[in-house]
Amino acid sequence: MKRIRVVVVVLAALSLLTACGESITATITPVHNMSGSVAGKSFVMVAKKNRDDRPGWPVYADLIAQGLETRGLRRVTDAGLADYAVSFTYRTDDATLLSWEAAVYTTVGGDPITLTSSSGEKVYGTTPTTTIQTGTTTRSAYYYFRLIDIEITDLVKSREMRQTVMAYEATVSSLERYDQSVEVLRPMIKALFVDWPGPNGKQVRRGVSLK
């Protein structure tokens, strides 16, 4: 299975940024061969050596496991009894200052006018208004990039073929103004399981509440 790589194009990402409000936009890119039903199959959560010893790993592992369970899979603790092994990594980058050009608009019209009716009566009003672009300005803000990388190994096929057989890979990314004090990884995981396993090889952008 082809390995996934995430490329962030700033101009495209800026059009999706949430400037305010209690939501984020998650970009999900799955690659998999899980076209049939996986209900009833079992999985084990596996931490990658030397990479997932952070305190938050068990919390996010449980959230991913819960998402898989909603799709009918069963979590087990013995890899020898599992159909799949699920591993993941995550990261939150330091703040990055991004700048972009924004249009400046102004409203013209609305000037007072006096009209005289056919009967000689004066009628007071204003001219029509319209909004026009008068230029551009540079705006900037600090944003935080977050990434979750999930892999699901087919243990049954791996044993049969005596090599690692990947059943599912996905990246979930987010570029938001929320700093590291805001929990964003939880809703990113939530977004992943809205239609898991998702369209194979197609990138999906999904808005999800922080709550």
Side-chain angles (χ1 to χ4, degrees):
M1 183 178 296
K2 185 178 180 179
R3 182 66 178 168
I4 301 171
R5 291 291 180 265
V6 175
V7 178
V8 178
V9 181
V10 174
L11 292 178
L14 286 172
S15 66
L16 298 169
L17 294 175
T18 305
C20 59
E22 298 297 319
S23 65
I24 65 165
T25 298
T27 301
I28 304 163
T29 308
V31 174
H32 64 86
N33 54 20
M34 307 181 78
S35 56
S37 174
V38 294
K41 293 190 176 182
S42 58
F43 69 93
V44 61
M45 298 300 303
V46 180
K48 292 188 175 181
K49 294 181 180 180
N50 303 322
R51 296 186 66 182
D52 298 312
D53 56 354
R54 290 169 289 180
W57 191 92
V59 176
Y60 301 129
D62 286 343
L63 291 174
I64 292 173
Q66 291 168 16
L68 292 171
E69 288 171 338
T70 63
R71 298 297 172 173
L73 284 87
R74 297 181 297 105
R75 184 177 185 179
V76 297
T77 57
D78 187 347
L81 302 176
D83 296 302
Y84 299 108
V86 182
S87 61
F88 71 97
T89 58
Y90 65 93
R91 80 170 198 255
T92 298
D93 291 351
D94 293 333
T96 300
L97 182 63
L98 300 180
S99 301
W100 65 96
E101 293 295 319
V104 176
Y105 296 92
T106 188
T107 300
V108 297
D111 301 315
I113 58 172
T114 302
L115 302 176
T116 303
S117 67
S118 58
S119 62
E121 184 179 358
K122 292 186 179 299
V123 179
Y124 301 94
T126 59
T127 59
T129 61
T130 185
T131 301
I132 62 173
Q133 181 177 342
T134 57
T136 60
T137 185
T138 300
R139 294 181 180 177
S140 60
Y142 284 99
Y143 287 90
Y144 296 80
F145 178 71
R146 294 170 173 88
L147 176 69
I148 303 173
D149 191 346
I150 300 176
E151 297 178 346
I152 299 180
T153 304
D154 189 323
L155 295 178
V156 176
K157 291 183 179 180
S158 294
R159 296 186 192 106
E160 293 175 350
M161 301 179 67
R162 298 184 179 181
Q163 63 181 23
T164 301
V165 178
M166 301 303 300
Y168 177 92
E169 296 178 83
T171 58
V172 186
S173 60
S174 174
L175 184 63
E176 306 286 343
R177 289 191 187 183
Y178 299 112
D179 62 23
Q180 295 178 355
S181 67
V182 180
E183 178 57 271
V184 174
L185 294 178
R186 286 175 179 266
M188 288 172 63
I189 295 172
K190 178 181 177 182
L192 173 66
F193 288 101
V194 169
D195 65 346
W196 189 90
N200 181 32
K202 294 184 179 180
Q203 188 178 82
V204 177
R205 294 183 178 92
R206 181 172 293 120
V208 61
S209 171
L210 282 174
K211 298 180 180 179

